[in-house]
Amino acid sequence: MTLTFYKYQGTGNDFVIIDNRDSILSKNDTKLFARLCDRKFGVGADGLMLLELPQDKEDDFTMVYFNADGNESSMCGNGGRCLVAFAAFLGVIKDKATFTAIDGKHKAEIKDGLVYLQMQNVSEIEKYDTHLFLDTGSPHHVAMVKDLTNYDVENKGRAIRKGAPYFETGSNVNFVEKKNENEFAVRTYERGVENETLSCGTGVTAVALSMHATKLTNDQEIDIHTQGGRLKVTFQKNGNGYKNIFLIGPAEQVFKGEITW
């Protein structure tokens, strides 16, 4: 079988995307998804997405996301932004979208070459002595560190991701350094990829909210520097949580290809 795929990236977070509106692929074919994401034996990506038909009349399409290990995963923010750009490329949408992902319904808009993706509201942020924990569509551990450039993200991140209280379920792990009042740098270890990625959209969102919750910034428009580029997060405080959260940044098609197996 010959499969047409597209490669997209959002600040270095890269994805294989397949138009699956005709159900050409089974969502149970996890070995195929892992192979396509393999950087040695496949196309190579941090994850794979299927664009499928909408689940209800309000939606333009459905987002189905798989981690690089082939398993269906929780929400991916950069993936969502790339899928919106792909939907516009296909003509499924023009510049606005409503779609359903594993964590619920999302709205998005393409403006001035950037994709604005509305994330789910966050009702609570857990604060500990050494870190914060919150769910922005995916679980995130957020910790402040010094000398982020030289920090051992791979080993430190893996230890936290697999340790208590996360264990096998795991958590994404974000290491953060403040640059100025409304700018922060972050490096993220992602579960499912089981390594550092150049960028993580739900992680960037978690960092922005955490920095505001701990009063390291008073701004509600935060610039985040990732290894793959810069993203912006805007939000509004809502009691102990946050609402109207938008993840903003570029999403680019890298290439189109075919693979036969």
Side-chain angles (χ1 to χ4, degrees), residues 40-260:
K40 301 294 186 182
F41 299 100
V43 178
D46 293 327
L48 180 144
M49 285 180 289
L50 304 178
L51 186 146
E52 298 197 332
L53 292 173
Q55 297 179 354
D56 62 54
K57 62 183 181 180
E58 294 181 0
D59 288 355
D60 297 295
F61 58 88
T62 298
M63 171 183 175
V64 185
Y65 180 74
F66 298 86
N67 274 329
D69 61 9
N71 294 313
E72 190 168 1
S73 180
S74 48
M75 180 58 185
C76 175
N78 284 331
R81 293 191 307 98
C82 286
L83 200 64
V84 169
F86 180 58
F89 168 77
L90 293 179
V92 173
I93 64 167
K94 186 177 180 182
D95 55 10
K96 294 183 179 181
T98 300
F99 66 93
T100 296
I102 194 167
D103 64 335
K105 202 173 294 293
H106 291 264
K107 291 186 180 296
E109 185 174 4
I110 302 174
K111 295 190 295 185
D112 301 322
L114 300 177
V115 180
Y116 291 61
L117 176 65
Q118 186 170 23
M119 307 295 284
Q120 301 296 345
N121 292 344
V122 172
S123 59
E124 182 183 12
I125 298 178
E126 300 175 22
K127 300 177 183 177
Y128 302 93
D129 291 340
T130 58
H131 67 281
L132 297 93
F133 179 82
L134 64 160
D135 194 312
T136 53
S138 289
H140 282 278
H141 176 111
V142 178
M144 300 297 297
V145 299
K146 296 180 179 179
D147 193 16
L148 180 63
T149 300
N150 297 307
Y151 199 76
D152 187 3
V153 171
E154 183 175 352
N155 289 312
K156 298 284 190 181
R158 183 181 295 114
I160 294 171
R161 175 259 187 270
K162 292 182 176 292
Y166 309 123
F167 299 116
E168 282 307 308
T169 299
S171 174
N172 301 288
V173 184
N174 306 272
F175 301 104
V176 189
E177 190 170 51
K178 184 171 181 175
K179 298 182 74 69
N180 60 48
E181 173 58 25
N182 70 338
E183 290 187 44
F184 297 84
V186 60
R187 294 175 64 187
T188 301
Y189 182 95
E190 283 200 56
R191 65 172 188 173
V193 179
E194 303 308 333
N195 210 332
E196 180 181 6
T197 54
L198 292 179
S199 179
C200 174
T202 54
V204 162
T205 304
V207 167
L209 300 182
S210 295
M211 297 303 98
H212 189 271
T214 52
K215 301 188 186 304
L216 286 174
T217 180
N218 293 315
D219 286 10
Q220 297 186 47
E221 183 174 309
I222 311 297
D223 287 326
I224 305 290
H225 298 246
T226 73
Q227 298 287 86
R230 296 176 69 167
L231 292 164
K232 186 184 295 290
V233 180
T234 64
F235 50 84
Q236 293 177 341
K237 192 80 170 68
N238 183 34
N240 293 325
Y242 294 87
K243 65 179 182 179
N244 294 329
I245 305 164
F246 280 87
L247 173 66
I248 305 162
E252 300 176 351
Q253 185 179 135
V254 182
F255 61 84
K256 172 185 177 181
E258 291 183 343
I259 190 167
T260 302

